[in-house]
Amino acid sequence: MTEDRTSEPRTSARLSAAARKPNRSDFWLVAALTVGSLIFAILYEGSGFWEFKAPLWVVCILSVVVTVPLVWRRRFPNFIAWFITTLYVTAQILQMMEPGVSQIVLFTSIYAIGAFRYSQRAAFISRCLLCLAILIYVIVSAALQFQDLGDLTFVQFAAATGVTFLINTVFFGGAWLFGNRAWKQRRLLEELRAANEEVREQEQQLTRQALDLERVRIARELHDGVAHHIAGVGIHAAAARRSLEKNPAKAKESLQVIESSTRETVDELRALVYTLRETDSSTDVTAATDGTAATGGQTAEKLADAATAASTKGNPSLGDLPELIESARRFDQTVEYATIGDPRPLTPITEMSIYRVIQESLTNCSRYAGVGAEVDVRLRYGSTDLEVEVSDSRPSRGSVTSGSTETRAEVKGLAKSEGLGLGIVGMRERMTALGGSLEAGPKSRGGWIVRARIPYPRSTEDHLSSDTPAKAAT
């Protein structure tokens, strides 16, 4: 019988060409059934329990021939089922095949029609015709036996025929039902896989949109800093023009301020262009997608709202850090803040970026470290760059163990997902835009650490280089 490969509805579990190729399990199944059929044939022949009308070697050959086609049952389910059924019925009529394992082979072939179908309609028609052929075979066999009842009474013959009919009904009906069940399970699996791919695609799309919005927010803040410098340049340019003839020293001072401001403006414009470019990588998108699985608690949201409210009047600076630290302490966390080294003059953009890094780090500490955690915030003024370090200590295992099972599961789940959200991506982009770097990860003794390094603006470096000879001369 030829294969009907008409198109199925979209919900069908169509197997790919690769999935229809024989695999290792198919060969092991065929080998086991072949060996079993040969053993049954030898045992039947030796015991005389089943009388064969052909030599043993013919029976063994037929056992191999009826079993081997199962290797291709995935690719040609209808053809293989009809071939095995025809061979089985013919061999049984001629009493040239063992009736044990060969029935399992027949069951598997009929099961394959439903499990590996190309078309639902073709599978239904094929199995109906196959069952009809088997029914005709049973009726003809019963009619031939009725002509030669021997010592059997009519009641005994009717009972034997009824048993034969019920056995065949259960046999072929079971192969039909199990084949349909396997096909439905495969269709459900395909639907779940397609739904999972769609969810992942939408999740990545939402993540890219969130990254774009974060870049726009960063660019807006950078724009405010650039506007501040341009306004200052205009004021000092007007002052220099007015005092150029009367007070050259003051005009020179104004021009120096203009020179420094224009340098800072160029650097910040470069950072603005970099932020607005399409710089998102697959790693950032994947990491941010994975991080969206971890939802923060109400404490983290309150901390973020409080930190945002503290700077609604303008872009935040390092002068707003004490208020930010104090808002974090109100959520039952011990927050220590320290400044190491001599503070240096920084641009508003640099101060705002440092503030945002500390703000996001404190939000993550509140979300993941939980109540009772110890948080250290440190600003280190180095010779060439400023280092920001925010570290926390997670609650001890004893405190987590003493809690409920749900609490332990929540802490464990948060520990697996920490450090992969959009906040880390945003902080890293801020630092990269200003020529700095950011590192985030677990500490060796437990807890989490965020370390950001940002170089001093060129105006600060020029100021430091000019102060060095003066100190040496002193």
Side-chain angles (χ1 to χ4, degrees):
M1 184 175 182
T2 59
E3 298 291 338
D4 184 2
R5 304 188 184 186
T6 56
S7 60
E8 279 285 288
R10 293 185 62 183
T11 56
S12 62
R14 295 290 300 273
L15 287 177
S16 61
R20 291 190 178 276
K21 293 182 179 180
N23 52 39
R24 184 177 299 178
S25 62
D26 294 332
F27 289 103
W28 281 110
L29 175 63
V30 170
L33 291 176
T34 302
V35 173
S37 182
L38 293 175
I39 293 175
F40 266 66
I42 295 173
L43 293 177
Y44 277 130
E45 177 69 18
S47 63
F49 180 77
W50 190 268
E51 181 181 357
F52 295 117
K53 292 184 178 180
L56 180 60
W57 63 272
V58 176
V59 177
C60 292
I61 291 177
L62 291 176
S63 297
V64 175
V65 173
V66 79
T67 307
V68 170
L70 286 179
V71 174
W72 298 280
R73 71 189 186 281
R74 300 175 187 269
R75 190 168 185 179
F76 308 104
N78 290 325
F79 177 78
I80 296 300
W82 277 94
F83 174 79
I84 292 177
T85 303
T86 303
L87 182 60
Y88 173 83
V89 172
T90 303
Q92 289 297 329
I93 293 174
L94 300 177
Q95 296 184 2
M96 301 172 59
M97 182 177 293
E98 54 84 20
V101 179
S102 59
Q103 293 185 2
I104 301 177
V105 175
L106 179 62
F107 180 92
T108 305
S109 65
I110 300 174
Y111 161 87
I113 297 178
F116 308 112
R117 66 184 68 173
Y118 281 96
S119 168
Q120 184 176 1
R121 184 182 63 181
F124 178 80
I125 295 175
S126 177
R127 286 179 292 185
C128 285
L129 294 177
L130 194 62
C131 292
L132 180 61
I134 296 296
L135 178 62
I136 294 174
Y137 163 69
V138 173
I139 293 175
V140 172
S141 298
L144 294 176
Q145 292 177 3
F146 181 75
Q147 295 178 0
D148 187 15
L149 290 179
D151 296 336
L152 294 178
T153 63
F154 179 79
V155 175
Q156 291 175 337
F157 168 77
T161 304
V163 169
T164 302
F165 178 80
L166 291 177
I167 290 176
N168 281 275
T169 301
V170 173
F171 184 86
F172 290 97
W176 189 313
L177 294 177
F178 281 115
N180 286 346
R181 181 177 180 85
W183 180 77
K184 291 179 180 178
Q185 288 179 347
R186 185 177 294 108
R187 181 178 63 179
L188 178 60
L189 182 62
E190 291 295 332
E191 292 176 354
L192 291 176
R193 186 180 291 110
N196 184 42
E197 292 177 357
E198 183 178 357
V199 169
R200 285 184 175 273
E201 183 179 354
Q202 292 179 356
E203 194 175 23
Q204 291 180 358
Q205 182 179 1
L206 292 175
T207 300
R208 287 191 292 267
Q209 293 177 356
L211 288 175
D212 292 339
L213 291 176
E214 178 69 12
R215 290 193 181 94
V216 171
R217 189 172 71 89
I218 296 174
R220 187 183 296 114
E221 294 176 348
L222 292 174
H223 169 269
D224 294 340
V226 172
H228 170 76
H229 285 300
I230 296 299
V233 167
I235 294 174
H236 285 284
R241 178 178 57 81
R242 293 173 182 173
S243 59
L244 183 61
E245 297 180 356
K246 298 181 181 179
N247 193 349
K250 185 176 182 181
K252 181 180 179 181
E253 181 181 354
S254 297
L255 291 175
Q256 290 176 347
V257 174
I258 292 174
E259 180 182 5
S260 175
S261 296
T262 52
R263 289 180 179 178
E264 295 174 1
T265 303
V266 170
D267 292 338
E268 292 171 0
L269 283 174
R270 184 181 296 110
L272 176 62
V273 172
Y274 174 85
T275 304
L276 291 177
R277 286 189 317 181
E278 293 292 339
T279 57
D280 56 330
S281 62
S282 59
T283 304
D284 291 339
V285 172
T286 304
T289 303
D290 296 337
T292 56
T295 56
Q298 296 181 356
T299 302
E301 295 177 357
K302 292 180 180 179
L303 176 59
D305 294 341
T308 304
S311 59
T312 52
K313 297 181 180 180
N315 290 332
S317 63
L318 296 183
D320 299 320
L321 285 179
E323 185 176 357
L324 177 64
I325 299 298
E326 187 62 28
S327 64
R329 289 171 178 168
R330 290 198 295 265
F331 298 102
D332 297 331
Q333 287 187 337
T334 303
V335 183
E336 298 294 337
Y337 172 64
T339 301
I340 303 173
D342 298 329
R344 309 290 170 83
L346 303 173
T347 61
I349 293 296
T350 303
E351 293 191 10
M352 179 190 63
S353 299
I354 295 172
Y355 180 92
R356 294 302 187 194
V357 169
I358 297 176
Q359 175 188 4
E360 181 65 27
S361 300
L362 290 177
T363 302
N364 290 337
C365 291
S366 177
R367 176 181 295 131
Y368 300 118
V371 178
E374 297 180 358
V375 183
D376 293 328
V377 181
R378 302 184 187 279
L379 289 179
R380 295 188 181 92
Y381 289 90
S383 58
T384 59
D385 56 11
L386 171 63
E387 181 181 279
V388 182
E389 181 179 293
V390 181
S391 62
D392 63 71
S393 61
R394 297 295 192 260
S396 62
R397 293 184 177 180
S399 60
V400 176
T401 305
S402 60
S404 62
T405 304
E406 296 180 357
T407 303
R408 294 198 300 269
E410 182 178 0
V411 173
K412 183 178 180 181
L414 292 176
K416 290 183 178 179
S417 59
E418 61 190 355
L420 296 176
L422 288 173
I424 296 295
V425 177
M427 289 190 292
R428 184 173 290 111
E429 289 197 355
R430 287 180 184 275
M431 295 297 100
T432 304
L434 297 178
S437 61
L438 184 133
E439 301 174 359
K443 297 191 298 184
S444 58
R445 297 184 178 180
W448 195 263
I449 185 172
V450 175
R451 183 182 291 112
R453 292 184 177 89
I454 182 171
Y456 294 124
R458 286 194 291 176
S459 59
T460 303
E461 295 178 354
D462 296 341
H463 175 74
L464 292 176
S465 61
S466 62
D467 288 347
T468 303
K471 292 182 181 179
T474 303

